[in-house]
Amino acid sequence: MQEHKILGIDVGASGMKGAIVDVKTGKLVADRQRVETPKPATPEAMAIAFAKLVKMHDNYQGVVGCGFPSVVKKGVALTASNIDKSWINVNIEQIFSETSGCQVFATNDADAAGMAEMTFGAGKDQKGTVLLITLGSGIGTALFLDGKLAPNTEFGHILLHNMIAERYAASSVKDKEGLSWVEWGGRINEYLCYIERILSPDLIIIGGGISRDFENYRRFITTECRVTPAQSLNAAGTVGAALYAHHCISKQP
Ligand code: BGC
């Protein structure tokens, strides 16, 4: 039994990505697989898509870690910004376990990505205040103090120009509004500067698909603290989801 190889699934508002992860090294054991997130993204429809993605993998020991785009407490979704509102108060672990036949452990998607980067990537051995920000359909955040996570921070929902920040500066907004790098770079810089004023972080790590394109917008960032892309780029959420499941099963009697 290879208990250190676990299936991690990063559930997003547009797609779900899964890969078997070696939780000792943080490396993907095989290529990531993806399925579309159904629209509307209701619990029932998403559970079917989740189960389909699980079946695309073998060698996962029946344990799956899931990063989910909402506040998650004890496996339950408490918010739903970019998924169907019927998710609120639904037990993610229960519905995904029932449909996939696996033991599923769920945590916030940004917290998962943050855990991966703090363990293996850009945040490894970083003391002080570190904030990982995932940019995708929404903006997710994971806050660490001396390596310890304060779960379920939602700094993507602070107000900027009287708008929820993620509606102004998420990478989906760049696509939707057809913003150039200069335009979007200005917006993300405003967001990062505001975050810096509130939290005075020592390091900001950028995750999500757009972390790949960091060279296109790094010149617009004027924060005093260092801002760096996630080392595992967009795979951080998948790796972190597997790490979370590993952490949960290690605590089981
Ligand atoms: C949600 C967060 C999530 C982020 C990234 C936000 O809309 O409120 O919980 O982490 O999107 O998916």
Side-chain angles (χ1 to χ4, degrees), residues 53-218:
L53 183 56
V54 168
K55 285 212 185 69
M56 290 160 80
H57 299 86
D58 46 27
N59 192 25
Y60 58 87
Q61 319 301 334
V63 173
V64 184
C66 165
F68 196 81
S70 80
V71 169
V72 182
K73 282 201 168 182
K74 296 194 175 125
V76 176
L78 296 182
T79 59
S81 305
N82 294 302
I83 48 174
D84 196 77
K85 297 287 174 247
S86 57
W87 266 106
I88 293 174
N89 291 328
V90 170
N91 190 314
I92 309 160
E93 295 182 346
Q94 195 181 342
I95 187 167
F96 282 0
S97 295
E98 276 167 13
T99 327
S100 65
C102 297
Q103 194 179 9
V104 179
F105 296 97
T107 189
N108 170 264
D109 56 353
D111 286 349
M115 282 185 267
E117 282 298 305
M118 294 305 285
T119 312
F120 301 111
K124 190 161 182 250
D125 301 326
Q126 283 285 331
K127 295 282 178 244
T129 305
V130 178
L131 187 72
L132 175 126
I133 301 180
T134 58
L135 300 169
S137 302
I139 296 183
T141 56
L143 180 67
F144 294 85
L145 184 57
D146 289 338
K148 197 166 169 13
L149 172 70
N152 289 312
T153 54
E154 287 280 334
F155 294 117
H157 289 252
I158 58 172
L159 292 183
L160 259 188
H161 305 296
N162 270 334
M163 269 170 103
I164 295 176
E166 69 177 10
R167 307 258 183 256
Y168 179 71
S171 62
S172 60
V173 178
K174 178 179 184 304
D175 301 337
K176 248 183 259 156
E177 297 183 18
L179 303 177
S180 64
W181 286 115
V182 186
E183 290 165 326
W184 184 78
R187 289 193 187 192
I188 198 64
N189 184 50
E190 273 181 77
Y191 175 68
L192 294 174
C193 289
Y194 192 25
I195 282 287
E196 179 165 55
R197 240 181 294 146
I198 300 170
L199 293 173
S200 302
D202 299 294
L203 172 68
I204 293 178
I205 304 171
I206 305 285
I210 209 158
S211 56
R212 264 186 242 114
D213 305 309
F214 191 65
E215 286 314 312
N216 290 323
Y217 53 90
R218 77 178 318 153

Side-chain angles (χ1 to χ4, degrees), residues 16-28:
M16 301 184 187
K17 288 150 279 177
I20 307 283
V21 176
D22 184 333
V23 293
K24 284 195 181 153
T25 61
K27 300 264 181 267
L28 304 190

